[in-house]
Amino acid sequence: MNTATTPGTGTGRGFNLALATWVSAINFWAWNMIGPLSTTYAHDLSLTSTQASLLVATPILVGALGRIVVGSLTDRYGGRIMFIGISLASILPVLAVGVAGVAGSYPLLLVFGFFLGIAGTIFAVGIPFANAWYEPARRGFATGVFGAGMVGTALSAFFTPRFVNWFGLLTTHVIIAVALAVTAGVCILSMRNSPEFVPNTDPVVPKLTAALKLGVTWEMSFLYAIVFGGFVAFSNYLPTYIKTIYGFSAVDAGTRTAAFALAAVIARPIGGALSDRIPPKYVVLASLAGTAAMAFIATFQPPPDIWSAETFIALAIFLGIGTGGVFAWVSRRSPAQSVGSVTGIVAAAGGLGGYFPPLVMGATYDSVDNDYTVGLLLLVATALIALAYTALRLHAREPARDPAA
């Protein structure tokens, strides 16, 4: 076997990991096409807070649930085929959302936003793909680097409103569609699966059933729903939050949201790398404690720009470290033949964790006092419950397996 591409050696894995991270980034950008423009849609279409929240949340839901199937399909077909397929399948929804936006149709935005969720399933492909390229001792690093593809949400938050101002709404969506097509083409020409990848041809439903019987699946799903769900929720809803609370324009709100997303993206590989050196439990505990603290501070509406920026960027860092820590934990604890299935379910839980908060924030918004206190306090309570569960019930190091099991 060529040692240039075996796990633990050579440059082939570095190139494929970098390419996979880019594929994730451009698909995350596509997945987040509606969020940065939600305030514009809300104004132009006279949407209520609940309607705007539903518009933001719909792609998140589909991207979450689709990961369950995509993770198992990755076990069978490998990351290369799945990266190409999802990138190509996301092109039409991106264009359709642009058409619906130009037409000013809220129902069509919801329908096409539903299919836009396809792009969000990309995450369930990258974790098993990265795991296959790297030895166990470096999988926290590998999954953390791939997870940095979340930078696509920052790129979308920063550039999408600006592209709309510069080129127009439909042209902006065409640009992203072309980027998806080019990305798929590069993957066809250059991407390779790890030589260690062995297709799991077992039927999908039994694989998912087996994964659902593992304790690690439920424990990690619970934690990931909080840390990644919190990241997704804020990345999509923060433009609305900032515009509502602080009165910034869509472009300015997008800039601040991009800073939030970028901080989380930078923190994710740090969380993964830390989890290669210390038990992931302690990384996750720090993440949950920091998340609870920053969400509580946010209830007091720190004034712009310095204090509010420090609060939300710190929140992003804690969430980002947690996402890296949880998936490093998944890689350690999942049976090798089930990594894709477990990853798909855990990633779906993370997406679902991002689906409900925008709806809750919209439903609990206090228009009289102009605050989101109830929604933020619910995040505080959830993070504290997870903190207690992790501290008291989960092991820092896995118990020795029974060889006969």
Side-chain angles (χ1 to χ4, degrees):
M1 183 179 294
N2 183 355
T3 57
T5 55
T6 53
T9 61
T11 58
R13 65 180 185 178
F15 171 79
N16 280 279
L17 179 60
L19 180 55
T21 303
W22 166 252
V23 180
S24 175
I26 194 62
N27 275 274
F28 263 76
W29 187 334
W31 189 33
N32 191 38
M33 287 296 288
I34 290 178
L37 302 176
S38 59
T39 56
T40 301
Y41 290 138
H43 177 268
D44 293 346
L45 304 180
S46 301
L47 304 181
T48 65
S49 177
T50 300
Q51 288 176 317
S53 299
L54 183 61
L55 184 61
V56 169
T58 298
I60 299 174
L61 175 64
V62 180
L65 296 178
R67 292 176 182 185
I68 299 174
V69 176
V70 167
S72 291
L73 291 175
T74 302
D75 281 340
R76 170 173 289 198
Y77 297 110
R80 178 178 179 272
I81 288 177
M82 296 303 297
F83 277 133
I84 294 167
I86 290 173
S87 297
L88 292 176
S90 301
I91 292 173
L92 188 57
V94 167
L95 294 173
V97 167
V99 171
V102 171
S105 172
Y106 178 71
L108 286 180
L109 279 170
L110 282 179
V111 171
F112 297 143
F114 177 92
F115 292 102
L116 191 63
I118 293 170
T121 65
I122 200 75
F123 189 80
V125 178
I127 298 301
F129 180 82
N131 275 353
W133 275 106
Y134 283 78
E135 67 275 15
R138 298 202 67 201
R139 285 176 181 166
F141 163 80
T143 56
V145 170
F146 171 75
M150 298 187 312
V151 73
T153 60
L155 295 174
S156 182
F158 185 84
F159 285 110
T160 298
R162 286 172 168 78
F163 279 12
V164 170
N165 286 342
W166 296 339
F167 310 119
L169 182 61
L170 184 57
T171 303
T172 296
H173 288 75
V174 171
I175 290 171
I176 303 307
V178 170
L180 286 165
V182 171
T183 296
V186 172
C187 289
I188 292 171
L189 295 174
S190 304
M191 179 174 276
R192 297 292 180 266
N193 290 319
S194 166
E196 302 297 310
F197 169 68
V198 178
N200 184 339
T201 57
D202 295 337
V204 171
V205 173
K207 284 195 298 183
L208 291 175
T209 302
L212 286 169
K213 293 179 180 179
L214 299 173
V216 60
T217 303
W218 294 100
E219 291 164 350
M220 297 299 102
S221 292
F222 171 54
L223 296 177
Y224 203 61
I226 297 170
V227 291
F228 184 73
F231 165 76
V232 171
F234 277 105
S235 294
N236 283 272
Y237 197 75
L238 207 54
T240 299
Y241 180 97
I242 291 173
K243 186 175 186 300
T244 302
I245 299 298
Y246 298 112
F248 288 114
S249 68
V251 170
D252 290 337
T255 300
R256 288 158 177 80
T257 302
F260 172 91
L262 184 60
V265 167
I266 293 171
R268 179 164 189 144
I270 294 173
L274 285 173
S275 297
D276 286 336
R277 292 164 173 76
I278 62 175
K281 172 177 178 175
Y282 302 123
V283 177
V284 174
L285 285 174
S287 166
L288 294 170
T291 295
M294 292 302 104
F296 181 71
I297 291 173
T299 63
F300 296 98
Q301 294 186 14
D305 252 343
I306 294 177
W307 295 110
S308 60
E310 288 184 350
T311 299
F312 282 102
I313 287 177
L315 175 61
I317 291 171
F318 283 118
L319 290 171
I321 288 174
T323 58
V326 170
F327 256 103
W329 218 350
V330 170
S331 300
R332 286 192 184 189
R333 299 183 61 195
S334 301
Q337 71 277 12
S338 300
V339 171
S341 298
V342 174
T343 293
I345 295 170
V346 174
L352 285 175
Y355 173 71
F356 293 104
L359 299 179
V360 172
M361 294 290 276
T364 60
Y365 170 64
D366 184 347
S367 58
V368 176
D369 294 326
N370 190 34
D371 67 53
Y372 290 94
T373 299
V374 173
L376 291 169
L377 287 178
L378 287 173
L379 174 59
V380 173
T382 304
L384 290 177
I385 291 170
L387 178 71
Y389 179 83
T390 303
L392 300 175
R393 297 298 300 274
L394 300 184
H395 298 285
R397 291 176 174 82
E398 293 308 301
R401 295 178 183 269
D402 182 355

